[in-house]
Amino acid sequence: MSSCTEIIADYGLRAIGIGARSLPRTDITLCHQVTLIGSGMIWNIYFGALALFAGFFLATATAMAKASANPWLRKPAEWFIFVFRGSPLFIQFFLAYEALVMLPRAGIEIFGLTIETAWTTRAWAGALFVLFLNTSAYSAEIFHGALKSVPKGDLEAADAYGLTGWTKFRRIVWPTMLRLAWPGYTNEAIFLFHATTLVFFSGFPAFRQEGDALYYASYFADKTFNPFIPYPITAAYFVLLTLVVIGLFGLINRRLNRHLPGETRPRLKVRPQIVR
Amino acid sequence: MLCYLTSGKHMLFYGSFFVVLLLIAVTAPLALALGFGGAMAARSHLFPLRVIGKTYTAMVRGVPDIVFFLFVPIALDQGLEYLRHKLKCPDWDQPIRQGNDFIVCSAAKLPLSSSPQIWHEIYGFSLATAAFAVVFGAFAANVLYGAMQAVPRAQLETAEAYGMTRRQVNRRILIPQMWVYALPGLSNLWMILIKATPLLFLLGVEDIVYWARELGSTKSAVYSYPHPDWRLYYFLVLLVFYLGMTRISESVLGRISARLSRGQATMAGEAQRKAAGA
């Protein structure tokens, strides 16, 4: 039996391939479970944070496209949102994995340059890409709704001040849209972090047993035949992560609404969403 | 090609679409009932009942649902086997948890190891349905609780002024009016339920994802129709199936919403009244 500090040294960063090579098989202690599941959370945070960050920009662009009068912009945006919101994320993962596996193994040659394709089938790239597109579609719908409810008076005031085009968008439309969309977007962020648990349960295999929190939780449930310890640990980690997300987004919400008088300032009402 | 698509395995594949539809058809009313019970309990005047209701509705917030989907079936399975074990084998002297193993006497196994395959499948399916119903029941409880709060206070107070008892207020005023407020949330839940069905695969039920993987993967020459890796196309079919379900649900829910808004003191109801008058 080893002490808990040794276990943390061995397994604390196991999920990214640092530390002990093999996973614990016998004598699984509570410390093992807490450490390894915690190290798996690195992946959940990685997927969630990067997809959210990149998705924010694509979502803004898609929302603008969906609100535009030009059908060449509007139709693709509508279809993009429908496809990603109308089908299960689970199936999207499978589909993406199978599609990426079909890319030629040796790489694609373009103008004499060989583009490696093998890395796209690995979870850190492929799953991140799917999550990025998925969260973009969901957030775009939220942003589009907010864009539609930007007060008419604000826009007229902007016109009266002679603001046009990019300046008008950056100074008036975009901040107001964000302000209105923020409560919904917070839910979307929480939702996305929860969705990252699907990565290693669908198409993408865990490379060298480096998986996320749920991957390790199910490993322990399998090995110990006792689901009553690993799953609640996972749940506790996620509750913690959710609280952190709510805190961060609450700070941004405060900043977005700082020009409003205290009474009318909207509070973040968190109503976490569910499966996608 | 036609021959290939009508092979026995493919028939099972098509059948699994009905399994998915069956799951939705069974889970939706169950979850609604559970949610209704949870919401009523959360509003109850009895303290223990209220605690149960509130805990149930709070349970699903903040924790990924998939954790519940993995947890509930195993917990149910072991709980049932433990109960049967206590009843059927009272003279069993060994501990049930031997280190890491969960061991019950063979008479308590669910389903009995001697029973035919179909029972194993039905048992797995029922466990999955229970997990879905519990989780979605909690979501529905959240929605219905909010809807009950949204019914205008004045309506309930008027009913009380007419001398109705609490029960009567609930049955005649609150429940008929809450649906229109609950509908947006419930239709959202319905969409989510549809999109959650592939999780059946994780619970070990042979559903469409299972068959799509089986049939699509590379076949060696042993099979009657060898083919390369076609999983991509099978999953495309699934994608289209789900998109279709979403589209149909959207239009049906739109109609229900219009029907429920009739004569209600909401914006949609008001718009309908004006349109009818004009």
Side-chain angles (χ1 to χ4, degrees):
Chain A
M1 291 300 279
S2 47
S3 74
C4 198
T5 29
E6 284 173 43
I7 294 175
I8 292 178
D10 274 353
Y11 294 109
L13 294 173
R14 177 61 180 75
I16 46 175
I18 302 171
R21 276 176 63 87
S22 57
L23 295 184
R25 268 167 227 291
T26 50
D27 296 332
I28 293 172
T29 60
L30 188 65
C31 184
H32 275 119
Q33 305 207 4
V34 172
T35 311
L36 206 48
I37 293 174
S39 103
M41 289 299 286
I42 298 173
W43 280 107
N44 294 101
I45 294 170
Y46 161 82
F47 284 128
L50 281 188
L52 206 59
F53 178 74
F56 179 79
F57 297 100
L58 184 61
T60 312
T62 314
M64 293 302 293
K66 193 179 173 184
S68 100
N70 183 351
W72 288 100
L73 283 173
R74 198 179 64 236
K75 284 288 163 201
E78 277 173 359
W79 273 100
F80 172 71
I81 292 174
F82 174 66
V83 166
F84 278 94
R85 289 185 78 224
S87 63
L89 179 62
F90 197 64
I91 300 285
Q92 291 166 23
F93 273 132
F94 270 120
L95 201 62
Y97 182 69
E98 300 306 336
L100 290 172
V101 163
M102 283 198 141
L103 291 177
R105 197 58 58 80
I108 304 168
E109 289 212 8
I110 299 174
F111 307 123
L113 282 169
T114 314
I115 299 174
E116 287 285 329
T117 54
W119 56 272
T120 54
T121 58
R122 301 270 295 279
W124 67 263
L128 182 63
F129 187 63
V130 176
L131 279 171
F132 156 66
L133 291 180
N134 191 281
T135 187
S136 299
Y138 276 86
S139 320
E141 188 63 27
I142 296 171
F143 286 165
H144 178 250
L147 201 61
K148 288 267 161 189
S149 41
V150 170
K152 203 168 79 175
D154 288 18
L155 300 177
E156 283 167 357
D159 288 338
Y161 275 103
L163 295 178
T164 48
W166 175 244
T167 332
K168 182 179 165 191
F169 174 75
R170 209 185 60 79
R171 293 240 183 117
I172 311 292
V173 178
W174 194 62
T176 313
M177 177 193 91
L178 277 187
R179 185 170 73 76
L180 295 174
W182 208 253
Y185 192 59
T186 309
N187 287 335
E188 162 59 27
I190 295 169
F191 193 13
L192 177 72
F193 275 106
H194 290 182
T196 57
T197 48
L198 279 177
V199 170
F200 289 105
F201 266 96
S202 44
F204 294 89
F207 179 64
R208 287 197 308 234
Q209 293 190 314
E210 292 163 12
D212 75 330
L214 195 63
Y215 175 81
Y216 289 127
S218 73
Y219 172 83
F220 283 127
D222 244 24
K223 282 274 178 284
T224 61
F225 296 103
N226 183 3
F228 296 97
I229 296 172
Y231 289 131
I233 292 175
T234 319
Y237 272 120
F238 269 97
V239 169
L240 220 67
L241 180 62
T242 307
L243 289 178
V244 171
V245 172
I246 292 172
L248 285 178
F249 275 69
L251 284 181
I252 303 176
N253 188 46
R254 277 248 297 278
R255 183 167 164 78
L256 285 172
N257 289 303
R258 69 190 185 285
H259 58 287
L260 294 178
E263 282 301 298
T264 54
R265 216 175 268 175
R267 299 277 305 272
L268 267 195
K269 255 200 181 164
V270 178
R271 323 187 59 185
Q273 277 291 335
I274 341 173
V275 208
R276 57 173 81 197
Chain B
M1 194 64 196
L2 196 67
C3 221
Y4 168 72
L5 282 177
T6 51
S7 69
K9 291 247 162 137
H10 272 85
M11 285 304 158
L12 286 175
F13 175 55
Y14 304 137
S16 62
F17 281 95
F18 288 101
V19 171
V20 168
L21 295 178
L22 182 70
L23 176 87
I24 296 176
V26 173
T27 311
L30 259 182
L32 201 59
L34 270 175
F36 193 75
M40 286 308 259
R43 276 175 69 90
S44 164
H45 278 247
L46 291 172
F47 179 69
L49 213 57
R50 198 164 62 229
V51 169
I52 294 174
K54 294 256 185 197
T55 316
Y56 182 52
T57 49
M59 179 184 85
V60 288
R61 297 188 171 203
V63 178
D65 53 318
I66 182 174
V67 174
F68 283 106
F69 285 125
L70 292 177
F71 179 75
V72 172
I74 305 181
L76 260 183
D77 186 34
Q78 293 195 351
L80 283 176
E81 287 195 343
Y82 180 76
L83 278 183
R84 281 168 59 95
H85 177 79
K86 282 278 165 207
L87 287 175
K88 297 210 167 184
C89 324
D91 45 349
W92 180 272
D93 52 353
Q94 285 159 337
I96 290 182
R97 288 205 184 278
Q98 293 182 0
N100 289 332
D101 290 333
F102 185 84
I103 297 171
V104 290
C105 62
S106 58
K109 280 250 179 285
L110 257 182
L112 295 173
S113 45
S114 55
S115 53
Q117 175 65 21
I118 182 83
W119 283 109
H120 284 265
E121 279 175 23
I122 290 177
Y123 182 65
F125 180 78
S126 329
L127 278 184
T129 317
F132 267 75
V134 167
V135 176
F136 278 91
F139 293 139
N142 265 324
V143 170
L144 292 178
Y145 183 74
M148 286 179 186
Q149 301 287 44
V151 172
R153 199 58 225 134
Q155 297 268 353
L156 306 181
E157 276 164 6
T158 312
E160 274 163 18
Y162 272 103
M164 289 192 189
T165 60
R166 261 188 76 78
R167 263 201 129 102
Q168 284 176 323
V169 174
N170 272 348
R171 252 220 347 264
R172 298 198 190 157
I173 311 293
L174 182 70
I175 294 170
Q177 284 200 48
M178 70 180 207
W179 296 112
V180 70
Y181 300 101
L183 193 72
L186 287 182
S187 45
N188 195 14
L189 264 186
W190 170 258
M191 297 290 187
I192 291 164
L193 176 63
I194 291 175
K195 286 187 273 172
T197 48
L199 293 176
L200 264 184
F201 170 69
L202 295 185
L203 302 177
V205 175
E206 294 182 358
D207 75 331
I208 41 182
V209 179
Y210 171 84
W211 284 114
R213 267 163 75 113
E214 281 291 297
L215 294 168
S217 56
T218 316
K219 295 264 169 76
S220 55
V222 189
Y223 291 88
S224 50
Y225 193 88
H227 65 71
D229 196 341
W230 280 357
R231 273 182 288 186
L232 182 61
Y233 308 111
Y234 278 94
F235 280 116
L236 265 181
V237 170
L238 294 195
L239 189 81
V240 170
F241 169 69
Y242 278 108
L243 286 179
M245 293 277 287
T246 310
R247 253 288 135 84
I248 294 169
S249 314
E250 265 174 7
S251 65
V252 170
L253 288 168
R255 269 191 209 166
I256 295 178
S257 158
R259 174 72 190 79
L260 277 183
S261 300
R262 203 180 289 168
Q264 291 281 350
T266 56
M267 213 166 100
E270 195 62 13
Q272 277 183 358
R273 195 179 60 80
K274 279 190 183 141

